[in-house]
Amino acid sequence: MNKNYYAILMAGGVGSRFWPVSTQDFPKQFHDMLGTGDTLIQKTFYRLAHLIPKENIYILTNERYNDLVLVQLPDVTQKQVVLEPAMRNTAPCILYASLKIQKENPDAVMIVAPSDHWIEDEQTFSKNVKQAFEFCSKNDALMTLGIQPTFPNTGYGYIEFDKTSTETIKSVNQFREKPDYETAKEFIAQGNFLWNAGIFMWSVNSVVKAFMSNQPALYKHFEAGISVYNTNKEDAFIKENYPNAENISVDYAIMEKSNNVFVIAAEFDWNDLGTWGSLYDKLDKNENGNAVVNARTLTEDASGNMIRTKKDKIVVVDGIKDYIIVDKDEVLLIFPKAKEQDIKKTLQKVKDKFGEQYG
């Protein structure tokens, strides 16, 4: 394996749209959401490990999840777990981790990958990432993997690329915000738009340079700790300074402001597993179109439901169509799939009425 290949595995989110399974104390990336025997973070780590030395995979997460990471990923050492003492979106933590990697290996090329995506064709994933790494090792480039749209989705941002290019790696014209339905249809009709999956590749020098140019204040904020990164004084510096960093995404911070951005249209299958509905889409269905994880079911006049319980729980469903039915400890959620985007608001109402411990 190439010792210059690195990864930042993003694992700090809460995944509140997967409540009640995903909670602040135990978020979705640490659950076996599909009933396969592996949690999402485990699947992502070992997918990256096909291409990247295990010791070069850094896990970026909130400090409250440190022990969860070490339990679920026994190949990872404490020095690979980069802890955020406060939630400040993706730009600060990526810059922080990049400066640590640059100090260790200035020749590094790296991928930033969310921990909760589902990708089955791991061989093609590795092929596309390697293409990007080879390009980034020779060019000052910020790269992303875009997903070929299959329908006019209004829940994703889009990447507009150079329509005239015949190369596999294409120049990005601009990033577009989440569109309304009619705009999304126009994007797909134009043929040069991809879904933004939030998967990035670059050399460590290119990404640090991009932060220096586009976010000088943020860069200086973290540059002040370079002398202590990868030493026993790093933790104290981060605890004192990290909470004062600007709350900003890497897309806004550098990707949308740079003119050296490129994209590869991913050749692998992809699902971002952002909601119960997206999980339903990914799972096999029974003869009535119900997707079931862990439960044993008896259904009558019931179809299109997403059902998840603890192992082997018997669930009887009669006369319910297109619902999310999730049983977890003290919480039972029965919720229309069509309203799944409201689960986050409902969670807040539950916490307000019954207490924070239920979220």
Side-chain angles (χ1 to χ4, degrees), residues 139-348:
N139 299 277
D140 179 17
L142 307 178
M143 291 204 63
T144 183
L145 287 175
I147 308 300
Q148 198 69 52
T150 52
F151 66 99
N153 195 317
T154 59
Y156 300 139
Y158 284 70
I159 302 164
E160 181 184 351
F161 61 83
D162 178 8
K163 202 171 188 175
T164 64
S165 173
T166 57
E167 301 295 325
T168 301
I169 296 173
K170 302 180 189 298
S171 177
V172 170
N173 292 343
Q174 61 179 324
F175 289 84
R176 302 291 289 267
E177 298 296 318
K178 294 175 184 178
D180 59 30
Y181 185 72
E182 290 303 316
T183 306
K185 285 202 297 185
E186 289 173 18
F187 287 171
I188 290 177
Q190 287 182 46
N192 64 322
F193 283 82
L194 301 167
W195 288 337
N196 184 359
I199 304 172
F200 306 105
M201 289 96 17
W202 39 54
S203 73
V204 70
N205 293 325
S206 288
V207 70
V208 170
K209 180 179 166 186
F211 274 107
M212 287 174 69
S213 301
N214 297 303
Q215 299 295 330
L218 189 65
Y219 173 75
K220 285 178 183 174
H221 189 74
F222 285 97
E223 182 202 25
I226 283 178
S227 63
V228 300
Y229 293 156
N230 307 333
T231 75
N232 58 11
K233 296 180 180 178
E234 176 182 336
D235 189 50
F237 173 84
I238 288 300
K239 281 186 173 169
E240 180 181 349
N241 291 280
Y242 196 96
N244 299 322
E246 183 182 358
N247 188 327
I248 184 171
S249 75
V250 74
D251 296 78
Y252 285 124
I254 60 171
M255 298 302 283
E256 295 182 11
K257 292 178 168 62
S258 300
N259 56 13
N260 58 334
V261 182
F262 297 84
V263 66
I264 293 177
E267 299 172 74
F268 50 83
D269 61 303
W270 174 85
N271 190 308
D272 78 333
L273 294 187
T275 63
W276 286 113
S278 64
L279 181 61
Y280 172 86
D281 292 340
K282 190 67 196 165
L283 292 166
D284 293 334
K285 320 294 187 294
N286 64 19
E287 65 275 11
N288 297 313
N290 296 307
V292 181
V293 177
N294 296 333
R296 292 182 286 166
T297 60
L298 175 64
T299 58
E300 295 284 342
D301 189 28
S303 61
N305 298 301
M306 172 71 236
I307 302 169
R308 190 186 194 279
T309 67
K310 68 181 181 182
K311 190 71 174 170
D312 292 332
K313 184 159 191 170
I314 294 172
V315 179
V316 180
V317 183
D318 191 333
I320 292 181
K321 292 181 171 64
D322 299 323
Y323 265 70
I324 298 161
I325 303 166
V326 181
D327 183 48
K328 170 81 171 13
D329 300 331
E330 296 172 289
V331 178
L332 172 64
L333 176 74
I334 304 171
F335 211 84
K337 271 197 327 200
K339 294 176 64 180
E340 67 172 3
Q341 294 297 336
D342 293 338
I343 288 177
K344 199 170 182 178
K345 295 180 196 169
T346 302
L347 167 58
Q348 189 55 54

